[in-house]
Amino acid sequence: MSEAKNKPHIAVLAGDGIGPEVMQQALRVLHKVAPEVTYSHGLIGGAAYVKYQQHFPTATKKLINQVDAVLFGSVGGPIEATDSPQWLNCEVNSILALRNHLNLSVNVRPAKFYSSLANISPLKNHLFNACDEILIYRELLGDIYFGDKRSFKVDGQVVAEDVASYNEAQIKTIALQAFESAAQRSGKLTSVDKANVLETSRLWRQVFNQVAKDYPQVELSHMLVDNCAMQLILNPAQFDVIATANLFGDILSDAASALPGSLGMMPSASFNDKGFGLYEPSGGSAPDIANQDVANPMAQLLSLAMLLRHSLNKDAAASAIEQAIEQVLASGFRTLDISESTCQTLGTTAFTDQVLKQL
Ligand code: NAD
């Protein structure tokens, strides 16, 4: 996306839980495929709180303002400790604040189906085998998450309200990116909304129809979100690129990410309108498996591949990582989350060793 430089520099924000473990593996791979890329570590989340009593300290803000892209791990503590000062509002104060700070309004999550993992997917084999990859574009800074919120009493009853709102420009930003992507892929774009009920969805649909006029090569279809949830499970192969609003995208992208087999394989990228990108696994900090060398490093390695391709124009290095991972899976190596009795289960480090061998 941004101009490639001779010596690109990225920020590495490993965060909490499995974040530092999988980030360490991503940096081993980075040294191998693109040793010219330099990086600086920054603290974020609970790890930052320990040093600064802040989840998103000024030092990290300064760092991310000076780099070509951000490689992010994950943040957050164990669910049972969410009220302790280190973890209270950690996600809101760090990753959500970071997205706001960088104005990252478009989130892209690829759900890739690896043929060697057909048996661990919740899908029946014939449905799985028909799939290749689904790309979900989710608007990230509007909708019900960012509108006014309030609680008040009416006739002694507590009422809560969250306001959902979108303007045309917000919708156009994500529409343009989704159309561009669809034009470079199959030429098929599904816009998902709830236009039979919601005013924001009716505007969403209008803007998508307007943008479609500039992309005659893209076949745009509209689908209601409830139907889309069902279709993702019944017939995911019908989708190539999906574009949707913040709330619907949050839910649909998690559902889609489970179809290929595990959240631990799912990378994501978020962009602002200048093309600046932040890359992170779709999952969280997985405190239940942290510090055990069992986390799947694929999501972090594939997030690195997306960073190399989209922010540093290093397509060959990105493809090399993707192909190496595919080869490792085809050779019968797995991590615990995708283990199969006929395959060899490896830890985080040993799985990455196999990826490095392929590179
Ligand atoms: P989670 O995504 O961390 O974990 C859900 C399940 O997926 C767990 O069983 C976990 O072990 C598994 N999992 C996730 N990544 C994996 C990997 N790479 N390899 C193997 N298994 C993996 O979600 P959660 O348990 O609901 O939340 C844990 C913490 O993460 C919370 O503090 C939450 O706030 C935070 N969180 C952070 C982000 C982020 O940093 N962007 C996103 C979601 C949740």
Side-chain angles (χ1 to χ4, degrees), residues 160-280:
E161 273 182 3
D162 297 283
V163 176
S165 86
Y166 266 122
N167 63 40
E168 288 174 283
Q170 283 175 308
I171 302 171
K172 194 169 175 190
T173 300
I174 182 154
L176 286 171
Q177 297 221 15
F179 272 98
E180 280 294 329
S181 170
Q184 285 161 28
R185 291 164 60 97
S186 67
K188 250 181 88 181
L189 172 61
T190 311
S191 169
V192 175
D193 61 38
K194 189 74 182 166
N196 54 340
V197 178
L198 300 177
E199 201 57 34
T200 44
S201 284
R202 285 192 268 271
L203 180 62
W204 180 277
R205 206 176 266 214
Q206 265 174 32
V207 174
F208 268 72
N209 284 336
Q210 194 62 38
V211 174
K213 291 178 187 158
D214 294 330
Y215 291 89
Q217 71 277 42
V218 174
E219 185 196 325
L220 170 69
S221 59
H222 299 282
M223 189 177 276
L224 296 176
V225 63
D226 35 353
N227 185 28
C228 182
M230 183 172 74
Q231 295 298 333
L232 271 173
I233 294 161
L234 286 180
N235 179 18
Q238 71 186 282
F239 299 110
D240 184 38
V241 181
I242 292 176
T244 191
N246 202 347
L247 174 64
F248 300 153
D250 193 2
I251 299 164
L252 291 177
S253 62
D254 261 29
S257 74
L259 300 177
S262 165
L263 194 54
M265 308 191 305
M266 299 300 151
S268 82
S270 304
F271 300 108
N272 67 18
D273 54 2
K274 297 189 177 68
F276 184 87
L278 176 145
Y279 303 81
E280 59 172 325

Side-chain angles (χ1 to χ4, degrees), residues 14-16 18 22 72-79 82 87 90-92 94-96 99 109 254 262-266 268 278 280-290 294-300 335-338 348:
D16 306 312
I18 61 169
V22 290
F72 189 88
S74 46
V75 289
I79 300 297
T82 43
W87 302 119
C90 175
E91 225 185 318
V92 175
S94 50
I95 184 64
L96 293 194
R99 287 173 186 159
R109 281 192 185 188
D254 261 29
S262 165
L263 194 54
M265 308 191 305
M266 299 300 151
S268 82
L278 176 145
E280 59 172 325
S282 294
S285 59
D288 54 332
I289 56 165
V294 295
N296 190 336
M298 277 176 64
Q300 193 74 64
T335 44
L336 194 59
D337 55 324
I338 51 173
T348 313

